[in-house]
Amino acid sequence: MKLRIKFKKYGPVRFIGHLDVMRFFQKANRRAELDVAYTGGFSPHQIMSFAAPLGVGLTSNGEYMDLEVYSLTSCEDVKTRLNAVSVPGIEITSVKILPDKAGNAMASVAAAGYTVTFREGRGPHFDLAPAVERFLKKDEILITKETKKGSREINLKEGIYELKAVDGNSLYLLVDASSAGNIKPMQVVEALFAENGEPLPENALMVNREETYLRSDALELLPLDAIGYDSEEAYKAASGDAE
Amino acid sequence: MNEKLALSDDILMKIEKPARYIGNEVNAVVKDLNNIDVRFCMCFPDVYEIGMSHLGIQILYGMLNSWDDVWCERVYSPWVDLDAIMRKENIPLFALESQDPVKDFDFLGITIQYEMCYTNILQVLDLAKIPLLAKERGDDCPIVIGGGPCTYNPEPIADFFDIFYIGEGETQYRPLIDLYKKCREEKAGREEFLRRAAKLPGMYVPRFYETTYHEDGTIASFRPTEEGISATIRKELVTDMTDSFYPMKPVVPYIKVTQDRVVLEIQRGCIRGCRFCQAGQLYRPVRERDVEVLKKYAMEMLKNTGHEEISLSSLSSSDYSKLPELIDFLMEECNKRHINISLPSLRIDAFSLDVMSKVQDVKKSSLTFAPEAGSQRLRDVINKGLTEEVILHGSALAFEGGWTRVKLYFMLGHPTETEEDIRGIAELSNKIAATFFDTVPKEKRVNGRVQIVTSTSFFVPKPFTPFQWAPQCTKEEFVEKAYLTRKAISEQLNQKSIKYNWHEADVSVLEGVLARGDRRLSQVLLYVYNKGCFYDAWSEYFHNDVWMEAFAACGLDPDFYSHRERPLDEILPWDFLDCGVSRSFLEREWQKAKNETTSPNCKQACQGCGAARFGCGICIEPRD
């Protein structure tokens, strides 16, 4: 049975990198004494998968991890147990059982929503709201993306699903987060600044990922755990229906 | 949650591994400042990943925090990137838990595990804005207290410490902290607290002692400067390991550290009495922990940490009397929980090979032997009770069991070593390879070959060992020996199966100088530190030329400390300490070494080393 576990990351632990968050959960799952499924061999690994890596320094309200278990007491109990052995700043907000057919967390990611706030003294000297409006009217927004193999030009516009000024000092973005077209919030803000003739100061942004989305069969963007069940009963009932 | 961070986001985003500096790890202890009396900051003067792997700090951290009136926090050496930023931006060194400046604490405890960290001690004090010299510190500074194996010759760093705690940390911290609280109540002041602390068992307060020297540089006298201060200090020791504190909730780091596992200390001390080994003397007598208690500890620590591996810790695990019972229990429990067992310091025999084949992948793992010397003659000199027969027999068993990789550890530069002994290293390596070809039929050879990795380090004579009087080789002699080893290996029939690794010689020479140095060396340490040296334990930051320049500038000759055989009647800088092992025993052992005579181990026959005065451990058990 596969669980989809949603968690928040905030406070000092925002400086823990993605791989270390994975290590953290491997140990937390043991402390919580969950009935986790393992791979075989001399160094067995827990069968787990993370949705979208969160960069060092970023906070999030919408992180996801899939975890294969042999059995569970209840979704609520898994959440309670994990929170009891967690650290301040890593907080489980929901646990759901995935339908058997669901793809893994990482492959499912289609988009992510972010709130971006400017650090003191590093915000724009232009008005955000009208600038965003002008920005979105462009047919294409070309930026150069540095990759391991060199650099290539990409059109940001295709990957920006939503962009708005929340207030004079922060933005909300909903952008492509799939492995093929992942866009970082900073790339968008940099392009917006460039458009207005301003360089983006170093470390100017505080970024909070609000939610991670999958694309449903009906092509809607839904939170990654929208497809899960709250209880084993619901899961079994649904699996039974499918048969 | 402690939301506060001493470093700004700008800095944390700029430096390598910011997780080293943010605290908040699993099992880190946070207390309310209003409810405690004493703030203790425990330091390992090296980078976080090394310091977090140290068992001693986990023990003391757990013990101090188990007391309601004390809050113990941790600090490690900031890595060079952050060090530069802290100096430039004038940011004081802070403790991980509260993120408060180290200078605000009552105590700064520094564990001193190896000589090459001495400059990092200065780095920590300097970044904390604590004067480097103890005598320049006022009441606004923490009491700087040192502990660990290097304090068995604390003299080279004596000027930087207010107190050295000699011996095992479990016993005297409570009385010391009570004394501190009492002195604070009485407004007795720093100097008076130190004076009274000097009268507690195991406490060495360097400011109350003075050394005079002969014209030739040797020590003429070492004595207390005040009435009532003891002329000798005996090490502190836990007499009952089973009853002593052991941390059930060690701190679990976020980032991968060197020792990322549960560490179960099964015993302290060693029965073997290898003459080069300092730990084998310092931690006498060997004391075992009860096997039932260990089983309970193992399960509790695995549950509390979530670690995926457990390791047994001791100087020689095979000598633990209940090892089979403990390993059977761990294998059963760990198997259920998908937990790996790591078994360092096991002697290779049928039992250990059977266990190892069950807990590790034979194809990927390697066997380790530490003959330490190439010939039986020299192994007798160093009292390493491992014979060629045992090594070859163990190898044959292992090769039959499917192992194809063997690691061999040797030291170059033992007293009396000859070219013949060095050639023995190559010959033994060759014989092990030959054993493989004799034991494993051609059709069964995985990839058709065996891999022997032979490594040599350079011998550093240490205080409180029978070799404390021995001359250490010069750098040139060491390099020559390594060259000879390499040449001898290349002449072997199976040389293609043998890979040879050796260490840098100049660090070993410097370690030797610092290990047996006296108080005058503090000048050298200050000199190199002021020239920008620290992280000397990291080869990329070690600058031998600066050290040599420092010796010259201070008018001190490194050879005086390392390359000279010291006569038995010379006053050694550490003679005022009593590690439990008597001077006469060490002298006897030194003589026996020169005569190529071995000594039986503690289980076979008591050698009257002196540790029996503690009345515990092997000394009070019936012998074989």
Side-chain angles (χ1 to χ4, degrees):
Chain A
M1 191 172 358
K2 204 190 260 179
L3 303 180
R4 183 153 287 173
I5 296 170
K6 182 178 186 181
F7 62 95
K8 290 182 177 183
K9 189 183 175 196
Y10 57 91
V13 296
R14 68 185 179 281
F15 292 104
I16 309 296
H18 177 63
L19 290 176
D20 294 324
V21 171
M22 290 173 65
R23 282 166 30 83
F24 167 82
F25 272 106
Q26 283 160 6
K27 292 180 197 283
N29 294 338
R30 290 173 188 279
R31 290 194 297 273
E33 298 186 312
L34 303 183
D35 191 13
V36 180
Y38 283 81
T39 61
F42 269 98
S43 46
H45 292 290
Q46 300 181 357
I47 304 175
M48 66 197 306
S49 137
F50 280 74
L54 187 71
V56 172
L58 277 64
T59 55
S60 176
N61 296 328
E63 293 303 288
Y64 290 95
M65 157 182 86
D66 287 355
L67 181 68
E68 184 97 29
V69 293
Y70 291 129
S71 69
L72 86 164
T73 40
S74 72
C75 291
E76 196 54 33
D77 183 56
V78 168
K79 183 177 129 180
T80 310
R81 285 210 225 174
L82 276 174
N83 278 329
V85 298
S86 189
V87 288
I90 295 182
E91 184 186 330
I92 315 310
T93 54
S94 95
V95 175
K96 290 192 174 177
I97 304 170
L98 282 182
D100 295 337
K101 285 177 297 184
N104 76 39
M106 187 177 280
S108 305
V109 174
Y114 298 93
T115 301
V116 166
T117 308
F118 295 97
R119 292 184 195 278
E120 210 181 311
R122 299 181 204 183
H125 295 100
F126 52 87
D127 276 346
L128 266 182
V132 165
E133 219 168 287
R134 284 196 305 276
F135 189 65
L136 290 174
K137 277 190 186 136
K138 291 169 63 84
D139 293 330
E140 50 177 25
I141 303 163
L142 295 176
I143 64 158
T144 318
K145 194 175 179 178
E146 303 290 335
T147 65
K148 279 174 195 156
K149 286 174 188 161
S151 57
R152 65 189 169 97
E153 206 159 64
I154 57 162
N155 181 9
L156 271 186
K157 183 75 195 285
E158 290 167 1
I160 301 177
Y161 305 141
E162 202 182 329
L163 173 62
K164 63 183 181 199
V166 179
D167 54 44
N169 200 44
S170 52
L171 293 160
Y172 174 77
L173 302 83
L174 180 65
V175 293
D176 189 343
S178 68
S179 54
N182 182 43
I183 288 175
K184 291 180 183 165
M186 187 158 99
Q187 294 172 316
V188 177
V189 181
E190 245 171 9
L192 178 67
F193 268 57
E195 203 56 38
N196 289 277
E198 278 185 32
L200 183 65
E202 201 186 335
N203 194 27
L205 309 179
M206 287 183 285
V207 180
N208 184 54
R209 187 186 275 163
E210 300 292 349
E211 184 57 275
T212 311
Y213 298 93
L214 54 77
R215 199 171 293 277
S216 72
D217 296 340
L219 300 180
E220 283 171 299
L221 288 179
L222 298 175
L224 221 57
D225 62 351
I227 56 166
Y229 303 105
D230 290 327
S231 69
E232 210 164 344
E233 291 73 31
Y235 161 73
K236 278 182 182 153
S239 309
D241 289 348
E243 285 161 16
Chain B
M1 161 169 37
N2 183 20
E3 279 277 4
K4 185 173 114 187
L5 289 173
L7 301 172
S8 69
D9 280 26
D10 282 338
I11 293 172
L12 287 162
M13 292 301 284
K14 208 154 39 187
I15 55 176
E16 223 177 279
K17 301 192 189 175
R20 286 166 173 164
Y21 311 107
I22 62 171
N24 277 292
E25 301 98 323
V26 170
N27 297 335
V29 178
V30 175
K31 294 192 181 184
D32 184 342
L33 276 180
N34 296 314
N35 299 334
I36 55 145
D37 298 327
V38 173
R39 300 189 77 178
F40 200 111
C41 189
M42 195 61 85
C43 170
F44 192 109
D46 204 321
V47 75
Y48 179 89
E49 293 92 310
I50 304 286
M52 275 300 285
S53 305
H54 184 245
L55 174 63
I57 283 201
Q58 295 270 16
I59 294 176
L60 294 179
Y61 181 82
M63 181 186 79
L64 292 166
N65 279 322
S66 74
W67 299 331
D68 288 341
D69 57 340
V70 182
W71 183 12
C72 178
E73 305 187 34
R74 294 159 298 142
V75 68
Y76 304 97
S77 278
W79 188 241
V80 291
D81 56 349
L82 180 60
D83 178 276
I85 293 171
M86 291 173 79
R87 286 171 202 272
K88 193 168 150 236
E89 302 192 11
N90 205 22
I91 299 167
L93 186 67
F94 54 92
L96 294 184
E97 283 78 357
S98 65
Q99 301 273 314
D100 287 340
V102 169
K103 203 181 174 184
D104 295 349
F105 282 66
D106 297 297
F107 286 91
L108 171 60
I110 303 178
T111 182
I112 316 165
Q113 298 289 319
Y114 32 87
E115 292 81 10
M116 298 317 289
C117 78
Y118 288 176
T119 46
N120 278 56
I121 295 172
L122 299 183
Q123 177 217 15
V124 165
L125 292 171
D126 199 12
L127 289 179
K129 302 185 186 296
I130 297 170
L132 301 184
L133 294 173
K135 61 172 190 274
E136 290 173 6
R137 288 175 202 145
D139 284 339
D140 62 330
C141 288
I143 302 293
V144 179
I145 178 164
C150 289
T151 62
Y152 284 92
N153 177 21
E155 290 308 274
I157 44 175
D159 288 348
F160 312 127
F161 283 84
D162 297 302
I163 306 177
F164 288 103
Y165 182 130
I166 310 298
E168 296 170 357
E170 286 97 335
T171 55
Q172 288 298 328
Y173 269 116
R174 190 65 254 182
L176 183 70
I177 284 169
D178 289 338
L179 176 69
Y180 179 82
K181 284 166 70 173
K182 187 162 178 280
C183 287
R184 188 167 56 187
E185 232 167 74
E186 293 172 12
K187 297 191 167 54
R190 188 180 189 89
E191 184 85 358
E192 181 56 23
F193 164 69
L194 291 173
R195 182 170 290 113
R196 293 194 215 170
K199 291 164 190 168
L200 286 176
M203 299 299 143
Y204 167 46
V205 181
R207 71 181 60 193
F208 297 125
Y209 297 81
E210 72 176 4
T211 316
T212 59
Y213 301 91
H214 292 299
E215 224 162 87
D216 65 1
T218 58
I219 294 173
S221 72
F222 177 91
R223 54 175 164 249
T225 53
E226 285 185 19
E227 202 67 26
I229 303 282
S230 175
T232 60
I233 291 144
R234 179 177 293 180
K235 82 162 176 197
E236 275 299 296
L237 172 120
V238 172
T239 50
D240 186 340
M241 287 297 288
T242 302
D243 275 351
S244 73
F245 182 89
Y246 204 69
M248 289 301 106
K249 294 181 106 184
V251 180
V252 183
Y254 293 108
I255 57 175
K256 193 136 183 56
V257 300
T258 316
Q259 178 103 264
D260 186 28
R261 52 186 75 91
V262 165
V263 179
L264 197 60
E265 188 192 28
I266 58 175
Q267 59 186 355
R268 206 170 278 179
C270 182
I271 59 168
R272 298 273 146 191
C274 299
R275 292 181 181 129
F276 56 83
C277 177
Q278 191 188 32
Q281 305 295 341
L282 296 186
Y283 301 111
R284 285 184 173 219
V286 67
R287 290 145 290 156
E288 295 193 347
R289 227 177 220 126
D290 179 73
V291 71
E292 295 305 325
V293 167
L294 287 174
K295 291 178 192 172
K296 195 176 107 233
Y297 284 1
M299 290 302 104
E300 203 171 331
M301 292 171 79
L302 285 169
K303 162 95 175 76
N304 290 339
T305 58
H307 280 311
E308 39 279 290
E309 186 166 295
I310 184 166
S311 173
L312 303 185
S313 164
S314 81
L315 291 168
S316 169
S317 297
S318 292
D319 294 324
Y320 180 65
S321 62
K322 302 273 173 47
L323 189 69
E325 182 184 340
L326 181 63
I327 289 183
D328 277 348
F329 170 85
L330 289 177
M331 281 201 296
E332 197 187 326
E333 294 298 325
C334 292
N335 209 14
K336 281 189 233 164
R337 294 169 170 78
H338 306 281
I339 284 159
N340 298 317
I341 305 175
S342 116
L343 299 166
S345 73
L346 276 193
R347 256 198 318 284
I348 306 301
D349 55 22
F351 167 75
S352 62
L353 287 170
D354 177 53
V355 168
M356 280 156 51
S357 68
K358 287 177 188 154
V359 303
Q360 19 176 271
D361 188 346
V362 170
K363 283 192 219 84
K364 286 184 191 150
S365 60
S366 56
L367 287 203
T368 306
F369 292 100
E372 306 293 0
S375 68
Q376 195 56 49
R377 185 200 75 81
L378 193 55
R379 283 194 293 274
D380 288 346
V381 170
I382 64 176
N383 203 40
K384 180 83 194 181
L386 186 59
T387 63
E388 182 172 301
E389 198 192 341
V390 168
I391 296 170
L392 295 182
H393 179 66
S395 306
L397 281 177
F399 295 143
E400 280 165 11
W403 274 275
T404 57
R405 282 195 276 191
V406 177
K407 285 189 206 160
L408 296 172
Y409 290 104
F410 296 94
M411 271 189 260
L412 290 171
H414 287 300
T416 77
E417 186 179 56
T418 64
E419 283 191 31
E420 202 56 38
D421 300 316
I422 293 174
R423 264 195 289 281
I425 294 174
E427 284 156 12
L428 183 58
S429 307
N430 185 61
K431 280 180 195 163
I432 294 172
T435 303
F436 174 81
F437 295 113
D438 291 346
T439 318
V440 185
K442 219 170 201 167
E443 61 278 11
K444 283 192 178 166
R445 290 175 199 162
V446 187
N447 306 325
R449 70 173 91 107
V450 62
Q451 195 184 48
I452 315 285
V453 179
T454 298
S455 303
T456 60
S457 59
F458 296 116
F459 173 59
V460 179
K462 293 281 172 100
F464 294 110
T465 67
F467 291 165
Q468 64 178 352
W469 296 279
Q472 190 190 18
C473 296
T474 61
K475 180 181 167 179
E476 293 70 27
E477 287 166 341
F478 276 145
V479 172
E480 177 66 24
K481 283 169 188 285
Y483 173 74
L484 243 158
T485 313
R486 193 179 62 180
K487 185 159 167 286
I489 286 174
S490 71
E491 287 161 8
Q492 300 299 315
L493 190 62
N494 295 305
Q495 50 106 353
K496 280 193 177 153
S497 303
I498 309 168
K499 185 180 181 321
Y500 175 50
N501 298 324
W502 66 95
H503 284 222
E504 291 294 316
D506 40 20
V507 183
S508 303
V509 170
L510 195 53
E511 272 173 16
V513 172
L514 294 173
R516 293 190 293 169
D518 56 35
R519 271 194 194 190
R520 292 172 295 185
L521 288 182
S522 61
Q523 294 309 309
V524 173
L525 289 163
L526 282 172
Y527 185 98
V528 296
Y529 177 70
N530 287 328
K531 290 272 175 175
C533 289
F534 62 110
Y535 277 113
D536 292 285
W538 296 69
S539 55
E540 65 267 44
Y541 297 108
F542 174 65
H543 305 292
N544 196 52
D545 48 336
V546 182
W547 283 88
M548 292 308 124
E549 182 189 309
F551 284 111
C554 299
L556 294 168
D557 175 12
D559 283 356
F560 168 81
Y561 295 104
S562 59
H563 191 48
R564 181 172 65 89
E565 175 163 352
R566 304 188 190 202
L568 291 179
D569 60 5
E570 179 176 330
I571 297 176
L572 304 172
W574 53 92
D575 270 347
F576 70 100
L577 296 178
D578 172 2
C579 85
V581 168
S582 70
R583 171 92 178 208
S584 60
F585 168 72
L586 295 175
E587 287 179 12
R588 281 202 306 278
E589 283 291 301
W590 179 217
Q591 194 50 52
K592 282 171 98 174
K594 288 177 169 174
N595 299 342
E596 302 173 11
T597 312
T598 59
S599 291
N601 70 47
C602 298
K603 272 193 185 153
Q604 294 165 326
C606 177
Q607 295 301 293
C609 73
R613 75 184 81 169
F614 295 111
C616 62
I618 184 86
C619 303
I620 55 166
E621 282 159 23
R623 294 199 158 68
D624 298 349

